[in-house]
Amino acid sequence: METAQSREYEESANALHSTLLQMQATALIKHAGKSGYRWAWQFVQDLELEADVQLLLDRYVVIRFVKRRISFRYLGGGAEGLIADTQIANIEKYQVAAVLAYQRANGISLVEPEPSRKSQNEKLDFGKDHALAEDAETSQSLSRQRLREAVRQLLTECVQLGLSHLSSSVLERFSTLAVWAQAADHYRLARLLRHVADHVEQLLARATGADEQRLFDDLTYIYGLVEALDSAEQKGLSPQRLLGLARNRYDTFNSLILLGIGALSWRSASGYRGLTMLFWSPEEQSFYSCTDARPDAQRGFNPRARYKAAGPWRGLSAPADACGRQLLLNGAQVSTNGRLSTTETTTAVVQTLPNARHFLDQFSTCSRWDELKERFSLARQSLLAEPQPMKDWVALKPDRFGAGYFDPVRQLLTWPLYDHDNTELRAEIPYSDDNQHAIERVESLADDTLPSGTVLIAKVRRSGSELIVEPLSLINPNSANPVDALHFDEAPKLGVMTKTIQRLKRITTKRGETGLAPELMTSYTAALEAARHALQRMAERGVTESSSRQVLSELSRHLEKLANIGFIEFQKLKIDIPQTAERLIRSHYVLLQYRNLLGEAPSDPMQERGDSPFTG
């Protein structure tokens, strides 16, 4: 029953919500200055909202930057009314960033800042020891070469100085190089340099979110990217995957034909709820997605209700009506990673295909699990490979489906899939409120329920050296509507899992928190970790002229040990690098690459994700 106090809290929260949304760019610029607003705008553009920002709305508004571990409470007033939970240097720009993140999360287009004078000048002064100014006649290629050399030198100097002894001048150099990288169209490098500059700023302010180990990983990652860019240029190449793209770029298609193949609801770790629809392009033989998400602070959004509500484009009565049908999208806007915009300028024409066989024939399916493993071969997982979430989706055609069973201890459903060689591939669905319906659907399927030729649409993920798939929908060749959306379509009967739902709801069900004891580390994993911590300690202490020989000796000892147990790439490391600090960084990169191949480490430090299965 609603009380007077709860109504008062809701009215207060709604008033704060409206005030934040109505803050104008002019007021924010006045609060933080043009440069502060420019930094805040770019900071927010670099965020993946569903993973990086948490919004809470109760008696007051809480805006939390997840990776920075900084929270702001807002009780009213202008941007100065946002109160941080920790000491922050230049807090004004973070306050503006919090407002912009809140506005962007609620669908408001942000006012782009004016370009800085530095980016307009033909010459930039980067210090007396390095004449890094760019002449008017200098080619873009030469500018990029000089940029990469300057970045490499700064990374080396950071390790020489010691990550525990960085100064404000290092922060300024990272920020300046980020501006230069943006002007040189090295978007990916610019984004990472901004990320590191923010991290260094946190270290200098002794903020709780600062961490020298993560900083060393980030510096090493940038070093690898710079080396890859150099190598590509020597071959006359400028690969877009290394250069990167400006954020929020969407290409417009006059017409795009897609097949609706399912949807699911989800909740991210940072407090977002969303509905994502998945589509298949017969012409391009690729997957596309469209997501409608809201922060929990924005009350009233229900993904399951959204599934049957109008949109997201004019002409589509509901996402449910897209499943099993062909859509002709006019004026579709598509991002480089396969996301479809929900812009109102896009229109949809829904078409029903002659039969399920015709629908199914337009897919490229995989029926042999060894081919699937070859496609997702661990040997091809580069540390520099940016996530391409749409390429993680596959259309599987098992020879037979096993019986799905729910494990109440691990809190997930396992569904074995077998190919013609009787090789097993596990499909798994972890328990959550959003996945409960799909678990019941799979559990209710009898062995003889699915006809021969049934295709499973699923997402592939790595679990150590093993491949696991997460089911989305079934395509039945004998059904009037070929797509069975497991997360939404009604089940013919309920499984026995419903008997344990009440007990499960008393157990923590966050993804990944199964309560199981971690698997025992193998000897090579333990050796990698020991070497990683040793390299980390060296980088924190620094490499002076007097300590160089000792550091090099310790480094060689660890690398030799790793090479002797099978990590042979450490034997191939260049030995002609004169600076010990650079050898340390290069060795750390190879070590991180091995950890990545073993499924032990994240890739791009800017790509740490929440629980949204379609973030990318």
Side-chain angles (χ1 to χ4, degrees):
M1 182 176 179
E2 187 178 35
T3 64
Q5 187 179 40
S6 64
R7 286 196 301 271
E8 182 182 348
Y9 286 165
E10 183 173 357
E11 290 174 1
S12 175
N14 289 336
L16 294 174
H17 172 76
S18 299
T19 303
L20 283 169
L21 296 186
Q22 292 170 10
M23 287 190 187
Q24 299 298 311
T26 52
L28 299 177
I29 292 173
K30 183 177 180 181
H31 179 66
K34 289 184 179 180
S35 62
Y37 181 86
R38 189 181 305 112
W39 178 92
W41 181 88
Q42 188 63 67
F43 177 82
V44 173
Q45 294 301 311
D46 287 341
L47 296 176
E48 291 289 349
L49 291 181
E50 294 91 340
D52 297 340
V53 181
Q54 186 175 21
L55 306 179
L56 301 175
L57 192 62
D58 194 5
R59 284 188 294 176
Y60 48 80
V61 176
V62 175
I63 305 170
R64 181 170 183 261
F65 295 122
V66 176
K67 293 178 185 176
R68 297 294 187 272
R69 301 179 188 176
I70 301 172
S71 295
F72 289 92
R73 286 182 300 144
Y74 179 66
L75 289 80
E80 66 279 359
L82 283 99
I83 303 172
D85 64 348
T86 185
Q87 293 286 341
I88 309 174
N90 302 318
I91 191 173
E92 293 81 8
K93 67 180 185 181
Y94 281 95
Q95 289 171 326
V96 170
V99 175
L100 295 180
Y102 193 89
Q103 292 180 347
R104 184 182 164 206
N106 284 278
I108 294 180
S109 298
L110 306 183
V111 177
E112 189 170 346
E114 298 177 3
S116 66
R117 291 182 179 179
K118 283 185 177 180
S119 64
Q120 295 174 334
N121 291 340
E122 292 182 347
K123 293 189 175 183
L124 299 175
D125 182 12
F126 290 88
K128 60 181 181 180
D129 295 329
H130 306 284
L132 303 178
E134 184 176 351
D135 297 327
E137 297 83 10
T138 304
S139 67
Q140 184 186 53
S141 177
L142 181 57
S143 174
R144 287 176 170 180
Q145 290 175 15
R146 296 169 68 189
L147 164 67
R148 293 193 295 270
E149 184 56 40
V151 172
R152 186 183 291 105
Q153 181 170 345
L154 180 55
L155 298 177
T156 303
E157 289 179 8
C158 284
V159 174
Q160 286 175 334
L161 182 64
L163 302 185
S164 297
H165 312 112
L166 300 182
S167 64
S168 57
S169 63
V170 171
L171 167 61
E172 293 173 2
R173 291 173 67 187
F174 272 115
S175 298
T176 305
L177 287 173
V179 174
W180 188 6
Q182 189 77 20
D185 296 337
H186 272 10
Y187 299 114
R188 188 174 180 183
L189 180 58
R191 184 163 50 96
L192 290 166
L193 289 169
R194 288 192 296 269
H195 172 73
V196 167
D198 295 341
H199 202 155
V200 172
E201 184 177 38
Q202 285 187 288
L203 278 173
L204 295 176
R206 302 186 183 278
T208 55
D211 183 342
E212 282 91 348
Q213 181 166 322
R214 284 195 299 114
L215 178 61
F216 189 36
D217 289 349
D218 294 351
L219 297 181
T220 302
Y221 183 87
I222 293 176
Y223 180 88
L225 179 59
V226 167
E227 288 288 298
L229 287 165
D230 274 345
S231 177
E233 186 158 303
Q234 290 173 8
K235 300 174 184 177
L237 304 174
S238 297
Q240 200 68 64
R241 63 184 177 85
L242 296 178
L243 293 175
L245 294 169
R247 306 289 285 176
N248 298 327
R249 172 182 158 183
Y250 281 79
D251 295 321
T252 301
F253 288 70
N254 290 331
S255 63
L256 182 63
I257 296 177
L258 300 172
L259 302 180
I261 53 175
L264 83 165
S265 60
W266 50 266
R267 184 191 297 269
S268 74
S270 57
Y272 278 73
R273 300 207 67 192
L275 173 76
T276 297
M277 297 160 281
L278 195 69
F279 301 92
W280 172 255
S281 168
E283 182 179 357
E284 299 183 19
Q285 293 289 289
S286 60
F287 291 91
Y288 289 87
S289 72
C290 180
T291 295
D292 194 352
R294 301 286 188 278
D296 276 340
Q298 187 171 327
R299 297 183 176 92
F301 181 77
N302 185 328
R304 300 196 70 81
R306 179 69 188 86
Y307 182 67
K308 296 184 178 181
W313 306 293
R314 287 183 297 160
L316 180 61
S317 57
D321 292 334
C323 287
R325 295 180 174 84
Q326 178 174 285
L327 268 64
L328 173 61
L329 295 184
N330 296 308
Q333 294 188 14
V334 185
S335 73
T336 54
N337 54 21
R339 277 187 170 185
L340 294 161
S341 171
T342 57
T343 176
E344 296 180 353
T345 59
T346 301
T347 60
V349 178
V350 182
Q351 303 168 333
T352 301
L353 296 178
N355 52 58
R357 288 287 179 182
H358 183 79
F359 186 92
L360 192 54
D361 287 344
Q362 301 187 66
F363 285 84
S364 174
T365 61
C366 176
S367 58
R368 298 180 64 88
W369 305 160
D370 56 348
E371 294 177 0
L372 184 69
K373 292 178 181 178
E374 174 64 21
R375 173 178 164 184
F376 289 88
S377 172
L378 300 183
R380 298 179 183 175
Q381 297 297 321
S382 168
L383 191 64
L384 294 177
E386 286 198 294
Q388 296 179 299
M390 289 302 99
K391 292 190 177 181
D392 292 338
W393 289 90
V394 292
L396 301 174
K397 194 173 183 179
D399 183 61
R400 63 185 176 91
F401 293 82
Y405 57 92
F406 185 78
D407 185 344
V409 177
R410 297 181 63 203
Q411 301 177 44
L412 60 80
L413 177 133
T414 300
W415 191 13
L417 313 172
Y418 301 93
D419 64 5
H420 289 283
D421 298 324
N422 206 37
T423 303
E424 179 181 319
L425 175 67
R426 286 207 328 270
E428 292 184 350
I429 308 177
Y431 174 78
S432 70
D433 287 342
D434 290 299
N435 290 341
Q436 176 181 331
H437 186 84
I439 290 174
E440 292 177 352
R441 286 297 325 278
V442 173
E443 194 185 29
S444 69
L445 295 172
D447 293 346
D448 57 353
T449 301
L450 301 174
S452 176
T454 297
V455 169
L456 174 68
I457 303 297
K459 180 184 178 183
V460 179
R461 64 175 173 85
R462 286 195 300 159
S463 176
S465 59
E466 187 179 9
L467 290 184
I468 304 292
V469 298
E470 299 177 0
L472 174 76
S473 59
L474 294 166
I475 303 180
N476 189 327
N478 301 333
S479 177
N481 185 338
V483 174
D484 181 354
L486 295 173
H487 287 261
F488 291 95
D489 288 349
E490 292 301 323
K493 61 180 180 179
L494 295 178
V496 298
M497 193 206 73
T498 55
K499 300 176 182 179
T500 63
I501 288 298
Q502 293 303 318
R503 181 180 60 173
L504 289 174
K505 284 188 175 181
R506 295 193 295 267
I507 305 174
T508 300
T509 57
K510 290 184 179 178
R511 184 178 184 147
E513 297 178 359
T514 61
L516 296 177
E519 297 180 2
L520 293 176
M521 271 192 175
T522 59
S523 59
Y524 51 84
T525 303
L528 281 176
E529 283 303 295
R532 182 175 181 233
H533 288 302
L535 268 60
Q536 171 66 32
R537 290 193 298 270
M538 298 179 209
E540 288 182 7
R541 290 194 302 261
V543 183
T544 63
E545 186 175 348
S546 60
S547 67
S548 178
R549 180 174 297 182
Q550 179 183 349
V551 170
L552 189 57
S553 175
E554 185 180 354
L555 175 63
S556 300
R557 187 168 63 253
H558 283 287
L559 299 189
E560 182 179 359
K561 181 178 179 180
L562 292 172
N564 289 339
I565 63 174
F567 296 107
I568 59 174
E569 287 301 318
F570 289 109
Q571 295 175 335
K572 303 177 183 179
L573 284 174
K574 291 182 181 179
I575 59 174
D576 57 348
I577 301 175
Q579 299 188 51
T580 303
E582 190 171 353
R583 291 196 194 184
L584 183 59
I585 299 173
R586 184 181 287 266
S587 301
H588 190 235
Y589 180 86
V590 176
L591 192 152
L592 290 182
Q593 177 66 78
Y594 269 121
R595 293 184 78 246
N596 184 56
L597 295 178
L598 295 173
E600 296 291 335
S603 52
D604 184 340
M606 293 296 294
Q607 301 293 343
E608 299 173 32
R609 304 293 185 195
D611 290 341
S612 165
F614 292 87
T615 305

